[in-house]
Amino acid sequence: MSIDPKVIALLGFGEAGSAIARGLAAEGGWRGPSKPGDNAPRRVIAIDTALDKDARGTALGKEARRLDVAIADRYTDALSDADLVICAVQGEHALSAATAAAPLLKTGAHYLDLCTVTGKMSDEDRGAIEAGGGRYIDIAVMGGFFKSGIKAPMLVAGDGVEPVVAWMNAHGFDAKVLGVRPGSASSVKMLRSVIMKGIEALAVESFVAAERQGILKEVMGCLGDVDATTFSGSLAMLAQTHIVHAERRWEEMGLVAQTLRDTGVDPLMTEAIEKSHRRTVDAHIAPADGKVPPLDEALKILSEKVVRGR
């Protein structure tokens, strides 16, 4: 069954909310001229509790009014007009937004949760929305709104999400069905962030030291072996070979840490890597034959013998 919302509500009108509003209001976008048979014009409304509270709040209010988006600083009965609600507040405010919105939702309204939250937090948001009669959709935004606008790639999870994804892709979004389990999209984003934000921190540590030594161009140029294959393939190879080469790499990271110290860079990330590799060394899992196991086997060994919970 397809969906055909006439009113869309945006919870949060910061970078994400305003980017989505611009996409919806663009020429040829969802809020374009009414089509034959439409009983009402399409409307976008917004709620942002920071509205006109400070310089940022004043700026977002001006942007909303420029886009002809009716914006308020509190959750009002106007929210009950919305057929589709897109929540794009900061993750720490996701549950309070869901709790405030839930009693006002139109029965059956789709609630798209774009907040950066854990899987458990997503479950809490879903509980509040479903208690209010809404249909919760878990969405992980996998790119940046600043660069991509409404086209920021999204993974969508939940029961019966296919019509929602079809509507999104027909109206300017870039959405992909992940699966039926709510919370799984949020978990994918969290675990992706382990890699991407970790690489960000590593790049800062490495590139600052390289710049201080006058070899930044050379350091960046020596990453060509990674460019020669897929990024995910390179990561998989590192996880597989970690089983065999953790000790050698641990010893190398000790020298790397000293190099950074000699350059005046505090090796926060490097010391963490050194500690992580030492954990593997101490587990004595290196195969006697020196053969690199398949990825699934390597991860099984690491999960059972190295990476333990607290």
Side-chain angles (χ1 to χ4, degrees):
M1 180 183 296
S2 62
I3 68 170
D4 184 24
K6 294 296 189 292
V7 179
I8 294 176
L10 297 168
L11 308 186
F13 205 73
E15 183 176 302
S18 60
I20 292 171
R22 284 190 290 274
L24 295 173
E27 183 177 354
W30 169 82
R31 204 187 61 182
S34 298
K35 298 178 181 179
D38 284 350
N39 294 319
R42 298 179 177 90
R43 292 189 292 127
V44 180
I45 63 176
I47 297 169
D48 196 305
T49 57
L51 179 65
D52 295 331
K53 299 293 192 304
D54 52 22
R56 173 185 171 277
T58 299
L60 64 85
K62 288 181 179 178
E63 179 66 359
R65 289 183 276 273
R66 184 185 73 81
L67 294 169
D68 192 25
V69 172
I71 189 168
D73 64 355
R74 64 181 64 87
Y75 292 76
T76 69
D77 289 342
L79 190 58
S80 63
D81 293 335
D83 309 293
L84 186 70
V85 179
I86 301 175
C87 184
V89 302
Q90 291 181 319
E92 60 265 33
H93 303 308
L95 183 57
S96 60
T99 302
L104 302 170
L105 292 179
K106 177 187 295 187
T107 300
H110 288 88
Y111 186 94
L112 280 55
D113 191 352
L114 273 60
C115 304
T116 300
V117 294
T118 66
K120 182 179 179 181
M121 292 167 69
S122 176
D123 289 341
E124 293 172 342
D125 296 348
R126 176 167 58 91
I129 293 304
E130 292 182 349
R135 299 179 181 179
Y136 181 84
I137 307 294
D138 172 31
I139 297 184
V141 181
M142 309 305 288
F145 285 102
F146 179 79
K147 178 181 179 181
S148 303
I150 198 171
K151 288 289 187 182
M154 301 181 189
L155 296 178
V156 186
D159 187 26
V161 298
E162 287 81 2
V164 175
V165 171
W167 178 89
M168 293 176 72
N169 288 330
H171 293 90
F173 293 85
D174 180 2
K176 179 181 178 181
V177 176
L178 178 67
V180 299
R181 183 167 62 87
S184 58
S186 295
S187 292
V188 166
K189 180 171 184 176
M190 290 292 102
L191 297 178
R192 179 182 186 271
S193 290
V194 173
I195 296 169
M196 300 310 297
K197 304 309 187 290
I199 290 175
E200 174 187 341
L202 290 167
V204 169
E205 199 162 284
S206 174
F207 288 179
V208 167
E211 179 67 21
R212 289 182 181 180
Q213 293 188 29
I215 54 172
L216 177 60
K217 182 178 179 181
E218 289 77 9
V219 169
M220 295 183 71
C222 76
L223 299 172
D225 57 329
V226 179
D227 295 335
T229 184
T230 64
F231 182 56
S232 59
S234 294
L235 294 178
M237 180 272 294
L238 289 172
Q240 286 176 257
T241 57
H242 179 78
I243 295 286
V244 177
H245 299 299
E247 183 168 6
R248 176 178 59 80
R249 292 171 180 172
W250 162 64
E251 292 172 347
E252 179 181 333
M253 293 313 293
L255 299 175
V256 171
Q258 188 57 51
T259 298
L260 292 171
R261 294 187 193 98
D262 292 344
T263 313
V265 174
D266 188 4
L268 296 176
M269 295 299 295
T270 300
E271 287 177 345
I273 296 167
E274 189 178 1
K275 181 179 178 180
S276 175
H277 280 60
R278 180 55 191 258
R279 178 180 62 178
T280 302
V281 173
D282 290 344
H284 303 291
I285 60 171
D289 59 8
K291 292 184 178 179
V292 176
L295 180 61
D296 57 349
E297 183 179 331
L299 293 177
K300 185 174 186 293
I301 294 169
L302 290 167
S303 180
E304 292 177 352
K305 300 183 178 180
V306 180
V307 184
R308 308 290 181 86
R310 290 185 179 273

